[in-house]
Amino acid sequence: MAAKEHSFDISAKIEMQELKNALEQAKKEINNRFDFKDDKTKELHLNEKTKVLSILAISENKAKAIKDILDSKLIKRNLSLKVLKETSKENASGGNTKITYQINDILDDKSIKTLTNAIKNQKFKVQTQIQGSEIRIKSKDIDELQKVISHLKTLELEIALCFNNFS
């Protein structure tokens, strides 16, 4: 009788509904805060199709304050701050500041290569299999899979990892 093989998948998927909930909570707090009371421009906008989040405020300091509020809401909803990657900061019309963030929810080729190399360099007794923008890790020993997860959590990556389909 062969030993059962166990596996899990590594991805960068995020709960989009949790992100939307964090955005709504941040918007409510911004609208209720005294320091934003008289500001005409204070926007948080999410484009789900392009996975772009933009912050529009009357100054760079106000835009950073909005981002700090959003960060606190993301943390409360157990979302990593690595979910948002700043792509641009520009002056918008009327002296406003616009900061754009890309939602970082896909493992790119560079991240996949970094992760597979990190696993191979530690000489874990596992097999890695790349499946599009996910990596499947297989082993006969569950403890070995746990060691892989623990090791990957210690790495300083630019993306938040999600470990799922553990079987």
Side-chain angles (χ1 to χ4, degrees):
M1 186 168 140
K4 183 177 189 267
E5 192 166 77
H6 304 281
S7 67
F8 70 91
D9 294 334
I10 303 169
S11 68
K13 292 179 185 170
I14 62 166
E15 286 289 327
M16 209 53 168
Q17 188 58 49
E18 288 297 323
L19 180 65
K20 289 182 200 173
N21 291 342
L23 276 170
E24 289 305 313
Q25 287 180 337
K27 286 177 184 178
K28 284 180 185 176
E29 183 173 328
I30 291 162
N31 287 330
N32 292 329
R33 280 197 29 177
F34 182 76
D35 53 338
F36 288 103
K37 184 179 176 188
D38 296 328
D39 294 353
K40 302 261 188 275
T41 308
K42 51 185 178 199
E43 283 183 29
L44 258 174
H45 178 72
L46 173 65
N47 184 333
E48 280 188 74
K49 288 185 179 177
T50 60
K51 296 184 178 183
V52 172
L53 174 81
S54 58
I55 296 175
L56 187 63
I58 61 169
S59 70
E60 189 173 336
N61 286 339
K62 293 283 185 166
K64 286 181 181 179
I66 290 172
K67 175 70 165 70
D68 288 343
I69 292 168
L70 178 59
D71 286 351
S72 72
K73 302 305 177 191
L74 290 172
I75 291 169
K76 284 182 183 175
R77 296 210 156 261
N78 294 324
L79 291 172
S80 171
L81 298 182
K82 295 176 182 180
V83 166
L84 299 175
K85 183 178 180 182
E86 186 175 321
T87 55
S88 71
K89 187 185 297 186
E90 58 195 55
N91 292 327
S93 61
N96 296 324
T97 299
K98 181 178 181 179
I99 304 176
T100 308
Y101 297 90
Q102 182 69 43
I103 296 174
N104 215 357
D105 68 342
I106 294 177
L107 286 177
D108 59 359
D109 292 339
K110 179 184 170 194
S111 299
I112 288 173
K113 191 172 186 178
T114 302
L115 291 170
T116 54
N117 286 339
I119 293 167
K120 287 177 185 172
N121 290 342
Q122 291 295 314
K123 297 185 177 19
F124 291 115
K125 295 175 186 158
V126 297
Q127 292 101 26
T128 59
Q129 180 180 4
I130 299 169
Q131 300 176 325
S133 64
E134 292 186 350
I135 304 171
R136 174 151 295 160
I137 310 296
K138 295 180 185 178
S139 177
K140 293 185 181 191
D141 185 8
I142 289 180
D143 293 336
E144 201 69 17
L145 295 178
Q146 294 287 354
K147 289 176 189 175
V148 171
I149 291 174
S150 296
H151 175 66
L152 293 178
K153 284 182 177 181
T154 64
L155 299 177
E156 290 293 324
L157 301 170
E158 294 178 11
I159 195 160
L161 297 178
C162 178
F163 305 99
N164 46 17
N165 297 336
F166 200 89
S167 63

